[in-house]
């Protein structure tokens, strides 16, 4: 697991670590038993404060996703992966094709992210409304 910190995102650094870890758990890149990088390794790779890494790991522990083992490190307890979101799923292949078409159409990363976020928000807002009307 390699963390990438975007200092211009407006998202707290510890939350970026939490979010990236959860993404890896959802995509099956991290599985139960895997060891997270040590705080020292993350600090060396990202030049952030070690307390920031520890805060992120405590949040993941609070959520029941990881557990520290004194003297050994922090280990994944449970996965968030769903088969439908795996690296070989048809949905991922469709999304990859769509992303390639968006790029060919001239959209950049921020354009694509904004478009996807908008569509996801609309889809899930519509679903909440439909469920509320039942």
């Amino acid at each position: 697991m390699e963390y990438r910190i975007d200092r211009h995102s407006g998202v707290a650094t510890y939350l970026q670590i939490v979010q990236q870890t959860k993404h890896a758990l959802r995509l099956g890149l991290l599985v139960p038993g895997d060891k997270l990088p040590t705080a020292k390794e993350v600090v060396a790779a990202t030049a952030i404060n070690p307390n920031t890494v520890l805060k992120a790991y405590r949040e993941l522990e609070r959520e029941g996703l990881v557990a520290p083992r004194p003297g050994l490190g922090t280990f994944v307890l449970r996965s968030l992966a769903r088969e439908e979101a795996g690296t070989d799923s048809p949905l991922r292949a469709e999304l990859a094709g769509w992303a390639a078409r968006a790029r060919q159409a001239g959209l950049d990363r921020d354009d694509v992210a904004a478009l996807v976020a908008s569509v996801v928000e609309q889809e899930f807002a519509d679903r909440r409304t439909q469920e509320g009307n039942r």
Side-chain angles (χ1 to χ4, degrees):
M1 178 83 208
E2 194 173 305
Y3 296 106
R4 297 193 190 325
I5 304 303
D6 181 353
R7 295 178 190 333
H8 305 290
S9 72
V11 176
T13 303
Y14 89 96
L15 283 176
Q16 291 183 49
I17 293 171
V18 169
Q19 291 169 347
Q20 289 175 37
T21 303
K22 286 181 175 181
H23 285 197
L25 290 167
R26 287 187 193 291
L27 296 173
L29 302 174
L30 285 174
V31 297
D34 283 352
K35 182 181 174 193
L36 294 183
T38 65
K40 186 176 182 177
E41 291 168 338
V42 176
V43 168
T46 61
I48 61 174
N49 187 303
N51 290 328
T52 301
V53 180
L54 297 175
K55 182 177 181 178
Y57 284 11
R58 280 192 305 272
E59 176 64 19
L60 292 164
E61 180 183 3
R62 189 188 66 73
E63 293 184 28
L65 298 173
V66 303
R69 293 186 194 157
L72 298 175
T74 302
F75 292 82
V76 173
L77 290 178
R78 66 183 180 94
S79 174
L80 296 174
R82 296 178 63 162
E83 194 174 315
E84 302 82 7
T87 56
D88 59 350
S89 80
L91 288 174
R92 183 180 177 93
E94 286 180 46
L95 185 56
W98 178 86
R101 289 191 307 279
R103 188 173 177 193
Q104 290 167 353
L107 297 179
D108 66 18
R109 180 185 299 261
D110 290 338
D111 296 332
V112 170
L115 184 56
V116 168
S118 172
V119 169
V120 167
E121 181 58 35
Q122 181 67 47
E123 174 61 27
F124 286 89
D126 287 350
R127 181 175 292 170
R128 282 191 302 270
T129 302
Q130 290 169 0
E131 290 171 356
N133 291 334
R134 288 184 191 169

